[in-house]
Amino acid sequence: MNYHVLTLFPDMIRQACETSILGRAVKNGTIAVETVNIRDFSANKHNRVDDYPYGGGAGMVMEAEPVYRAVSSVSEKLEKKPRVIYLTPQGRVLNQTMVEEFALEDELVLLCGHYEGIDERVLEEVVTDYVSIGDYVLTGGELGAMVLIDSISRFVPGVLSNEESSQFESLQDNLLEYPHYTRPEIWRDRQVPEVLLSGDHKKIEAWRKEQSILRTKERRPDLLEKSVRVRSLFYGTDLSASLAADLTEALSRYGEVMDFNRKKLRKTRWSFERRELLLFVLDTLDEDFFNVSMKGHQTPVFLITGEGVDPADAERFKEQLTSRRFRMLDTFPMEVLQDKEALKRTAIEMRKQL
């Protein structure tokens, strides 16, 4: 991953990227952080890049031309037009899905404004994404750029060690992370929860999920409203089973994969709630599956079908789901998910549609 940070204060960015995990990643060449001083592209002999706003008002506005030249200087070095992110309180508030989407890029240009902002005309010309790190105002975009670099870099292969990579990505399920404990077992009369000492990984995982839900309910109930339980129902060959497992893992720590090749599951009467997300991964579709008893409550659904599924049968199945109060979101062909990168992009697209 290569970051190109356009700023009036390059030292702020450089100093932040010299230490800790980011510093190690830069040193190892896993990521590269280039700072571009916008003042270097000023036509003014004093390197001035701002002027008074038309219409009056307090403060100064950054001029269009130096910003345009700075962006162009980066674009000319790259093979394709880069994604240009402008850090501004007027942008979409950054979330985990956006971070993972940005991490799929090879090059990112981060544009840091200052003063009262940047001439709107150049923003319309060069910016592809408007991103905010929160509903408050900072003196410039540099801190926002550093937040982006840090959060995105965690998803760049090789940035985190195996130990660090094993950390649960908090917020992936719109749930806060469960509490953590280490030695000693008793500290100031406070005992580590017994379940964590049990060695029973199934119970530990169940406890962690419960704690995540409780903590989110207490501290961020707004997130809990967005949280869904992911269930992947596969039917057909081992390919459908493998894709269902991979997609579930990409979407949720606590997802469930269900094998509907099992007659017992097909004979069960199913009812799914509004806050569940269903993925039907099918590389075959026959009357046995059409006859499964399923009822939804505006339950969101994605359909992934293989070459063995007749398009007419797929349409019939979607109509059946709609009539049973499921909410169809999108359909994806199995063949485009064979590639790991494509699977990641599909999982991100699914989360965005939710």
Side-chain angles (χ1 to χ4, degrees):
M1 169 67 78
N2 298 316
Y3 302 98
H4 309 270
V5 187
L6 279 55
T7 172
L8 298 179
F9 302 96
D11 286 346
M12 285 184 68
I13 303 296
R14 285 197 288 261
Q15 290 170 11
C17 296
E18 288 176 353
T19 58
S20 190
I21 292 172
L22 287 183
R24 184 181 68 200
V26 170
K27 187 176 180 181
N28 294 340
T30 312
I31 65 171
V33 181
E34 176 196 22
T35 56
V36 178
N37 192 334
I38 298 172
R39 293 186 192 278
D40 293 342
F41 299 87
S42 172
N44 184 286
K45 65 179 182 180
H46 301 294
N47 290 335
R48 182 173 174 172
V49 296
D50 62 329
D51 209 332
Y52 295 102
Y54 280 120
M60 307 291 279
V61 176
M62 289 176 63
E63 298 170 345
E65 189 61 20
V67 172
Y68 182 77
R69 290 178 181 175
V71 174
S72 297
S73 74
V74 174
S75 299
E76 289 167 3
K77 295 186 296 185
L78 306 178
E79 294 180 358
K80 62 178 183 179
K81 187 176 180 181
R83 201 161 180 172
V84 179
I85 303 172
Y86 177 44
L87 286 306
T88 169
Q90 298 182 21
R92 287 190 300 151
V93 177
L94 187 66
N95 60 40
Q96 194 73 1
T97 299
M98 292 166 63
V99 167
E100 292 184 43
E101 182 182 2
F102 290 142
L104 295 174
E105 301 290 331
D106 295 323
E107 312 278 348
L108 286 175
V109 177
L110 310 182
L111 175 58
C112 305
H114 240 272
Y115 312 121
E116 293 304 307
I118 299 176
D119 190 306
E120 187 69 21
R121 292 168 294 183
V122 71
L123 298 180
E124 293 171 352
E125 181 73 21
V126 304
V127 172
T128 60
D129 300 88
Y130 294 80
V131 175
S132 168
I133 62 167
D135 294 328
Y136 46 85
V137 179
L138 299 170
T139 55
E142 286 75 17
L143 291 175
M146 287 184 266
V147 167
L148 267 181
I149 293 171
D150 189 280
S151 59
I152 293 170
S153 296
R154 299 185 77 255
F155 290 92
V156 176
V159 169
L160 300 182
S161 66
N162 288 337
E163 185 178 73
E164 292 157 345
S165 297
S166 67
Q167 297 173 7
F168 166 50
E169 294 298 344
S170 180
L171 299 178
Q172 185 186 46
D173 291 271
N174 281 312
L175 295 175
L176 299 181
E177 204 165 1
Y178 49 79
H180 295 277
Y181 300 87
T182 188
R183 296 174 182 174
E185 186 178 323
I186 300 174
W187 178 79
R188 300 199 178 197
D189 298 326
R190 293 173 182 257
Q191 171 78 43
V192 172
E194 288 187 16
V195 66
L196 298 180
L197 308 174
S198 68
D200 189 326
H201 295 293
K202 204 168 185 178
K203 287 183 178 178
I204 290 172
E205 191 68 3
W207 178 86
R208 284 174 169 169
K209 180 180 180 182
E210 179 186 24
Q211 291 299 310
S212 285
I213 293 171
L214 290 173
R215 179 162 284 192
T216 308
K217 185 177 181 180
E218 175 188 344
R219 301 181 183 180
R220 290 290 307 276
D222 58 308
L223 284 178
L224 200 58
E225 282 299 310
K226 303 174 187 175
S227 179
V228 294
R229 179 185 181 185
V230 177
R231 284 182 163 182
S232 293
L233 287 61
F234 72 87
Y235 185 60
T237 66
D238 289 344
L239 175 60
S240 62
S242 175
L243 279 177
D246 290 344
L247 273 172
T248 303
E249 184 179 359
L251 285 166
S252 171
R253 175 187 175 92
Y254 303 114
E256 180 182 5
V257 179
M258 305 172 71
D259 181 2
F260 268 69
N261 291 305
R262 296 171 57 193
K263 189 174 181 179
K264 181 179 179 181
L265 292 187
R266 295 200 306 274
K267 294 295 182 184
T268 303
R269 296 173 66 89
W270 295 95
S271 179
F272 298 100
E273 300 303 317
R274 179 180 63 86
R275 284 175 54 186
E276 291 186 276
L277 169 63
L278 296 189
L279 276 63
F280 287 97
V281 185
L282 314 172
D283 54 13
T284 188
L285 191 51
D286 54 28
E287 289 304 316
D288 270 355
F289 199 81
F290 274 112
N291 292 331
V292 174
S293 176
M294 294 184 185
K295 181 176 71 173
H297 294 83
Q298 292 303 305
T299 309
V301 169
F302 288 106
L303 178 62
I304 298 95
T305 57
E307 292 180 349
V309 176
D310 187 283
D313 286 338
E315 287 303 314
R316 177 186 162 200
F317 183 58
K318 287 193 283 186
E319 290 171 6
Q320 184 183 81
L321 289 174
T322 302
S323 69
R324 294 180 181 181
R325 299 187 64 198
F326 290 91
R327 181 164 57 94
M328 283 298 309
L329 294 179
D330 209 343
T331 304
F332 299 92
M334 247 183 218
E335 53 266 28
V336 304
L337 301 180
Q338 309 299 316
D339 176 80
K340 190 175 181 181
E341 190 84 355
L343 191 138
K344 278 185 186 178
R345 290 185 183 277
T346 301
I348 290 170
E349 178 60 31
M350 288 177 172
R351 289 215 294 272
K352 287 167 69 176
Q353 290 194 41
L354 280 174

